Amino acid sequence: MSLIEQAAKRLEELRRAGAEVGEGTPEAAQLATRSEEPERIPTPEAALRELNARRSLAGTSTRTEARLEPIARPALAPAVRHAPVVVELDLELLKAQGLVTPDVPRSQIADEFRVIKRPIVRNAFGRAGTRVANGNLVMVTSALPGEGKTFTAINLALSIAMELDTTVLLVDGDVAHPDFAKRLGTRNSPGLLELLTRDDLEVGDVLVRTNIDNLSIIPAGVLHHRATELLASEQMAILLRELATRYPDRMIVFDSPPLLATTEARVLATHMGQIVMVVAADDTRQRDVELALSMIENCGVVLMVLNKADKTDVGAYYGYYGDEPRSA
Ligand SMILES: Nc1ncnc2c1ncn2[C@@H]1O[C@H](COP(=O)(O)OP(=O)(O)O)[C@@H](O)[C@H]1O
Ligand SMILES: [Mg+2]
């Protein structure tokens, strides 16, 4: 059975179990049309072995499962609590990058994300039968860098915040390559890394409110030598539980590292209720998509977004680029 057939089977199982998996949306089908040679599906262990083998072939050091020693937290004086920081997001800066903005509610990109967010929101807050456990924790990931995780995470968060009576917390979890400061014009610290390493900080101390009602941000923080490892730490698991349960009607969207680049992204995924897997059409090899999917096969709901697709190939919903030249 090809990976796509497996994915379709899994979607069907989820559907039967009551989860919303974007009925009628073409994610899996689009990929199916692109798969040329059916390949076996690796188990996560086999996938990891293969990835490690590939890394050692490439001469890079292989990191095994994150085994973390307790993180020494500096003894600091209690932080002085300040009024929440509020940043004014520059809508022109957002628009220039193709991001959704509240002043253009009917753009093509806004329409595309309306479709993408619908099943995600329904899974998080739907009636009892459709509610997914921890469904308000949504991780946006991909196999490789540059596939559009940050673009998708920001657009998804903006789209949900703008149109629904739902608050959204957008977290920069790609701590080794944080991008929010550049994309959104926001500061980068203190943020997630400080929350994970300092006892004296609470979520409210790093959370940044924005001029877009309902949208708050947690930046990545200052690069720490164990930044990526921290994502797989017990502190992170505790923080995620806190974020998910403190305001159960709040959606939390995580930008995250690519699955094939770090083992921590895979651990992070296990805590999430929903995973949005971004695949750059044409650019990503089928094998890499398969490997990445095999790493999250035990995670709740996985939705695929085919990004940077040519309109003529996959229809308007996924034709973000249209006829424009690709920027990456
Ligand atoms: N659908 C899209 N339309 C236009 N630009 C895009 C799209 N997806 C990604 N990009 C651009 O491609 C580049 C890489 O995307 P990015 O979101 O940073 O990838 P990642 O976070 O996965 O590394 C960025 O310059 C981003 O703005
Ligand atoms: Mg990114």
Side-chain angles (χ1 to χ4, degrees), residues 120 134-142 148-154 156-157 160 168-175 180 192 195-196 216 218-220 231 235-244 250-258 265 268-269 271-278:
I120 296 173
N134 291 329
N136 61 337
L137 289 179
V138 181
M139 169 170 163
V140 180
T141 190
S142 68
K149 289 178 294 300
T150 304
F151 180 87
T152 302
I154 294 176
L156 182 62
I160 296 170
V168 183
L169 177 58
L170 175 62
V171 184
D172 194 346
D174 195 355
V175 286
F180 284 12
L192 182 59
L195 257 188
L196 295 173
S216 302
I218 293 187
L231 295 179
Q235 286 98 314
M236 186 70 195
I238 293 167
L239 175 64
L240 287 171
R241 274 198 294 279
E242 183 193 332
L243 290 177
R250 176 176 64 180
M251 194 71 127
I252 300 145
V253 177
F254 277 87
D255 190 9
S256 65
L268 187 60
H271 300 297
M272 302 288 170
Q274 304 191 66
I275 297 178
V276 176
M277 170 89 172
V278 181

Side-chain angles (χ1 to χ4, degrees), residues 97-109:
Q97 299 172 74
L99 298 170
V100 177
T101 55
D103 55 334
V104 194
R106 297 304 317 181
S107 63
Q108 184 186 329
I109 192 75

Side-chain angles (χ1 to χ4, degrees), residues 96-99 109 112-113 140-155 174 177 179 182-183 255-258 278 280 306-309 318-322 324-328:
Q97 299 172 74
L99 298 170
I109 192 75
E112 288 164 348
F113 273 91
V140 180
T141 190
S142 68
L144 302 165
E147 296 203 64
K149 289 178 294 300
T150 304
F151 180 87
T152 302
I154 294 176
N155 269 326
D174 195 355
H177 299 280
D179 236 358
K182 190 175 81 195
R183 299 297 177 81
D255 190 9
S256 65
V278 181
L306 190 58
N307 190 25
K308 307 186 187 182
Y318 297 87
Y320 300 153
Y321 273 106
E324 298 298 315
R326 298 194 173 187
S327 57

